[in-house]
């Protein structure tokens, strides 16, 4: 019964509704409320919970209205700017309201208080799911606003250690631009070119570019590939520590 509904919003945001129990959904990063309320009505789902990954308005602007309309509870990382939280969540915490445990993974980098949500897979072969906010994107990662590059690198490494088949649900659709950047850094990486073609086809057919998987990200996301010889040679950083290669990649992406 695991079902994730992807709701594109605000141009390039993704809001997710995860049906965590029969007839009940939780919303991840509702940057607006009206589309979420409409989908809830159409699917006859009750909103039980909102989980936010970080305090930015394009991930939280719908929280107050959704809470008012549905009486749901709101969880997220404790942050100075974060209003309306019922539960301040910390690293390693396990949420048990859903049929499957949801683990909170702290991922500072984009913002100081930032978390991802990991829904474990099942022994029956069902893949886990990871809601990554503005930490990990398809073929990219978030800009570093409140921390240093080393913190973001450490957060991404934690995510990359999750099982390969984990489905990745990021907070934005920057997929095409990210893959185009990846190709400039690693033009010989066939997987990047293949992925870009697949993604363009999916968009042309009216589909979304999510979810990805951890395995796909390890093959095509330059920010998880700082050990690639081609990347290191492109950056002229053959012997540099991984965190420095990551920082240089992020710097280049900022001005891409
Ligand atoms: Fe953000």
């Amino acid at each position: 019964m695991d079902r994730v509904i992807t709701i594109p919003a605000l141009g390039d945001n993704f809001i997710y509704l995860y049906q965590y129990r029969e007839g009940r959904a939780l919303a991840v990063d509702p940057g607006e409320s009206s589309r979420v309320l409409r989908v809830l009505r159409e699917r006859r789902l009750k909103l039980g919970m909102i989980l936010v990954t970080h305090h930015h308005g394009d991930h939280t602007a719908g929280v107050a209205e959704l809470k008012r309309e549905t009486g749901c509870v709101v969880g997220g990382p404790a942050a100075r700017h974060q209003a309306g939280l019922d539960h301040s969540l910390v690293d390693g915490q396990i949420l048990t309201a859903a049929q499957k445990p949801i683990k909170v993974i702290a991922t500072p980098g984009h913002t100081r208080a930032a978390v991802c949500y990991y829904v474990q897979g099942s022994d029956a072969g069902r893949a886990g799911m990871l809601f990554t906010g503005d930490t990990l994107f398809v073929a990219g990662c978030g800009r570093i606003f409140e921390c240093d590059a080393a913190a973001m690198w450490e957060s991404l490494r934690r995510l990359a250690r999750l099982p390969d088949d984990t489905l990745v649900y990021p907070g934005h659709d920057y997929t095409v631009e990210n893959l185009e950047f990846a190709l400039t850094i690693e033009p010989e990486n066939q997987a990047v070119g293949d992925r870009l073609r697949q993604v363009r086809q999916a968009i042309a057919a009216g589909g979304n570019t999510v979810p990805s998987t951890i395995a796909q990200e390890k093959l095509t996301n330059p920010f998880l590939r700082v050990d690639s010889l081609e990347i290191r040679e492109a950056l002229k950083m053959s012997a540099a520590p991984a965190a420095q290669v990551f920082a240089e990649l992020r710097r280049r992406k900022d001005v891409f």
Side-chain angles (χ1 to χ4, degrees), residues 9 31 35 39 54 56 63 92 123 175 181:
R35 286 177 196 219
V39 175
H54 66 294
H56 287 159
V63 168
D123 296 338
T175 305
F181 172 73

Side-chain angles (χ1 to χ4, degrees), residues 54 56 58-59 110-111 134 145 172:
H54 66 294
H56 287 159
D58 58 325
H59 298 252
H110 177 68
T111 55
D134 287 356
F145 287 131
H172 285 275

